[in-house]
């Protein structure tokens, strides 16, 4: 008999906050500056310097913790986490240990059409470390301290995640919420969103946790799922053959698509936490908390529910449109400009996103503005152009930036609905296709399509198909 295993996953997500300056000094947080240009004695931890807490960083952390449904510790403190690493010039990191700013929250994800709640243990504020770069031949290493002291929040989930797919959905939900709240730009490729995962397996029905491994520094949404899928397979094999999973830290190797061991428990750190003596306790008064709470935007899932309710959109559409705040904002602007919501949804999800993704643009950079797209949808509704023509008009709008009526006029896209203008063409089609006419009269429905097709061809696709249909039927007497 083979044992069935249950997967238990917890994620630790680091999110860089979108402040202009660092958490304890006035240095810029700008990404991509020349190495070691955004540094000062405070963030380098020189003796005699003192940290000064950045109010904006606290405000963003509060916003994030509230959006994650956390209880806020209005009275909390900072602690020193002591360890030595070349990218940490002070020899300690200022973090929060036993009194984080937010605790006991949750995030909801949609798994196979069902909504599932993932618990959040804590959200705490801390400073980022620098960045080491190692020469490929191992001859030397370089350290860039620009990132040292950039404000971070760490979001620690409960071990509520049951599959690699759920882990990816959870991470996507976190990113989406952080972007909606404008707390972080969450660019994984720039390191402003990073993820560590704990994963263990246990026999189904067992309540105790199995021995876990920690996967460090996963840097893409795809890799989160892949690395965890590999770990599930690896741990299943170990346990099925009667072995024991070793508690260790592993990393995902992109080249081999496997995880490899970095260090075992024996080398684990003892951080010797103690309260940071250079900072007073952090107190968030009621008025401040209330103001941040009132400033929270409509969050992705709320927006999604509203789209289904208010715009009568299918759940799939609502999910795609709200997963990114930029897409949601664009879509709402198209509807506000007068377009039918379902038509607007179809255009945004297929043509607009298709175009901007292919061009490597964000939706804010789309060459067709929301009002121009609404204008195009209106032309289709009025019957000026067919939906097929509209796709060609859209392409020209993307290239020229012109609005729909202008493109239609300049390129002669108007649909011909005028019976007088179509009569001669239809008479000719009927005269030239006696077999199709006879087939139709003998009951072959499809033959009508051939006649409509000939008319469309003769008008270069501009004839209104509904009018053509009606006129042919009138003429062949049925
Ligand atoms: Zn500094």
């Amino acid at each position: 008999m083979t044992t069935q295993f249950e997967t238990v996953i917890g994620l630790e997500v680091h999110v860089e906050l979108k402040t202009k300056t660092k958490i304890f000094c006035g240095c810029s947080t700008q990404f991509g500056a020349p190495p070691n240009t955004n540094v000062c004695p405070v963030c380098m931890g020189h003796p005699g310097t003192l940290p000064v807490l950045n109010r904006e960083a606290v405000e963003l952390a509060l916003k994030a913790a509230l959006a994650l449904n956390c209880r806020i510790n209005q009275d909390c403190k900072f602690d020193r986490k002591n360890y030595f690493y070349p990218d940490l010039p002070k020899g300690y990191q200022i973090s929060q240990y036993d009194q984080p700013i937010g605790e006991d929250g949750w995030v909801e994800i949609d798994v196979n059409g069902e909504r599932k709640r993932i618990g959040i243990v804590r959200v705490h504020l801390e400073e980022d470390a620098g960045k080491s770069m190692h020469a490929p031949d191992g001859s030397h290493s370089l350290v860039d301290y620009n990132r040292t002291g950039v404000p971070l929040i760490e979001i620690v989930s409960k071990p509520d995640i049951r599959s690699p797919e759920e882990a990816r959905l959870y991470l996507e939900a976190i990113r989406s919420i952080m972007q909606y709240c404008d707390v972080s730009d969450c660019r994984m490729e720039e390191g402003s969103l990073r993820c560590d995962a704990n994963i263990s397996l246990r026999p189904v029905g067992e309540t105790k946790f199995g021995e876990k491994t920690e996967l460090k520094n996963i840097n893409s949404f795809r890799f989160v799922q892949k690395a965890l899928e590999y770990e599930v397979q690896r741990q299943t094999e170990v346990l099925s053959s009667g072995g024991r999973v070793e508690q260790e830290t592993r990393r995902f190797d992109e080249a081999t698509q496997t995880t490899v061991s970095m260090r075992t428990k024996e080398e684990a750190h003892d951080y010797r936490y103690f309260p940071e003596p250079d900072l007073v306790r952090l107190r968030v008064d009621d008025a401040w908390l209330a103001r941040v709470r009132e400033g929270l935007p409509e969050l992705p899932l709320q927006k999604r529910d509203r789209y289904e309710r208010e715009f009568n959109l299918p759940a799939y559409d609502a999910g795609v449109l709200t997963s990114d705040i930029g897409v949601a904002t664009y879509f709402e602007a198209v509807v506000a400009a007068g377009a039918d919501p379902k038509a607007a949804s179809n255009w945004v999800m297929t043509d607009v996103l298709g175009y901007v993704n292919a061009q490597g643009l964000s939706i804010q950079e789309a060459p067709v503005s929301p009002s121009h797209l609404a204008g195009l949808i209106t032309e289709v509704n009025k019957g000026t152009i067919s939906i097929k023509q509209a796709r060609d008009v859209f392409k020209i709008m993307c290239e020229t930036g012109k609005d729909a009526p202008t493109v239609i006029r300049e390129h002669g896209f108007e649909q011909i609905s005028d019976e007088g203008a179509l009569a001669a063409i239809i008479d000719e089609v009927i005269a030239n296709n006696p077999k199709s006419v006879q087939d139709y009269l003998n009951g072959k429905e499809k033959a009508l399509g051939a006649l409509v097709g000939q008319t469309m061809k003769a008008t270069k696709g501009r004839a209104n198909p509904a009018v053509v249909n009606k006129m042919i039927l009138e003429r062949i007497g049925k």
Side-chain angles (χ1 to χ4, degrees), residues 22 25-27 38-44:
K22 294 184 179 180
C25 65
C27 290
N38 293 338
V39 291
C40 75
V42 176
C43 56
M44 299 298 284

Side-chain angles (χ1 to χ4, degrees), residues 238-258:
V238 170
L239 295 170
S240 300
S241 60
R244 275 189 48 200
V245 172
E246 204 180 341
Q247 187 173 343
E248 62 182 340
T249 303
R250 300 175 73 88
R251 66 178 174 83
F252 184 64
D253 186 276
E254 292 171 30
T256 60
Q257 302 277 298
T258 62

